[in-house]
């Protein structure tokens, strides 16, 4: 489905499909194994979302997944972060009066 969703792809060779599926399977298996070894689920013999997101954040190999597997945070913490960012943006906008001194008034 992903391959067919690309406008550049008109047809998919069956062998390419099988190889891509196998590569995807091996990649997910490797991600799961690395996450399990690094994670806290080891004591419970379980792999958790937190283990996956921690691996994506900390491992250079899986860094490209950090946006897809973000750390879970509470909604209250997220709202607080948004408010702090909004306050910072307002301070930056208030501190600049729009005149940098480079433009001459006429």
């Amino acid at each position: 489905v992903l391959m067919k969703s690309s406008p550049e792809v008109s047809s998919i060779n069956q062998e390419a499909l099988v190889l891509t599926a196998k590569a995807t399977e091996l990649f997910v298996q490797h991600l799961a194994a690395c996450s399990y070894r690094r994670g806290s689920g080891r004591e419970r013999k379980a792999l958790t979302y937190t283990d996956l997101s921690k691996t994506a954040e900390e491992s250079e190999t899986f860094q490209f997944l950090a946006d897809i597997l973000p750390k879970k945070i509470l909604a209250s913490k997220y709202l607080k972060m948004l408010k702090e960012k909004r306050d910072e943006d307002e301070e930056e906008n208030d501190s600049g009066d729009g005149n940098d001194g480079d433009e001459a008034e006429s």
Side-chain angles (χ1 to χ4, degrees):
V1 172
L2 285 173
M3 294 169 108
K4 287 183 179 181
S5 69
S6 176
E8 295 90 29
V9 176
S10 58
S11 65
I12 302 166
N13 185 329
Q14 189 63 31
E15 289 88 14
L17 187 60
V18 170
L19 288 174
T20 302
K22 185 61 177 177
T24 303
E25 180 183 330
L26 292 172
F27 171 76
V28 171
Q29 188 176 31
H30 181 62
L31 172 62
C34 289
S35 298
Y36 183 77
R37 279 189 304 248
R38 294 170 152 249
S40 60
R42 213 165 154 183
E43 296 87 35
R44 301 184 305 272
K45 293 191 178 190
L47 180 63
T48 65
Y49 178 87
T50 304
D51 297 336
L52 292 168
S53 65
K54 192 175 187 180
T55 299
E57 185 179 309
E58 295 174 357
S59 171
E60 190 174 320
T61 304
F62 300 110
Q63 189 70 47
F64 71 99
L65 293 173
D67 291 338
I68 298 169
L69 294 168
K71 275 187 170 181
K72 282 186 178 180
I73 61 171
L74 296 174
S76 58
K77 285 185 179 181
Y78 178 72
L79 293 173
K80 184 179 177 184
M81 287 170 40
L82 280 179
K83 184 180 181 315
E84 289 171 358
K85 182 167 177 23
R86 205 173 301 129
D87 291 346
E88 287 174 10
D89 291 346
E90 286 176 6
E91 286 176 13
E92 287 177 11
N93 290 339
D94 290 344
S95 65
D97 60 2
N99 187 1
D100 296 339
D102 294 337
E103 298 177 17
E105 290 185 29
S106 49

